[in-house]
Amino acid sequence: MNPKNQEQWVRLFDIPETKLHEDGYTIYKIVSTLLHRSYPEASTSLEVWRRYSSILSLHKDVLKLHNSLKLAESPPPYCKPSLIK
């Protein structure tokens, strides 16, 4: 996406719920919503249940891919653990 087009999109993350997995660790419900500023009816939402450690490893993989592609934009920042609690 070019920078002008990228400014039109808004990405929101929400962690509304947590559960205790049967193996004893906590899993988090992560809701990612992507919407266009001019066309809010074109919004897309995705829900996943993940462990904190899998979120961390996913972010590391995204950073590796971003660096290997040598993209001009900065990589996405990692969310603070306080956001997940």
Side-chain angles (χ1 to χ4, degrees), residues 2 5 12-14 16 23 29 38 40-41 43 48 51 56 59 63 65 69 71 74 76 78 82 85:
N2 63 21
N5 189 18
L12 305 169
F13 292 97
D14 188 26
D23 292 337
K29 179 180 180 180
S38 302
E41 65 275 1
S43 69
V48 294
R51 293 174 71 166
L56 181 61
H59 186 262
L63 285 179
L65 180 62
L69 293 174
L71 300 175
S74 61
Y78 183 68
S82 61
K85 291 181 184 176

Side-chain angles (χ1 to χ4, degrees), residues 53-65:
S53 60
S54 65
I55 299 168
L56 181 61
S57 64
L58 176 64
H59 186 262
K60 287 179 183 178
D61 291 341
V62 167
L63 285 179
K64 267 194 231 176
L65 180 62

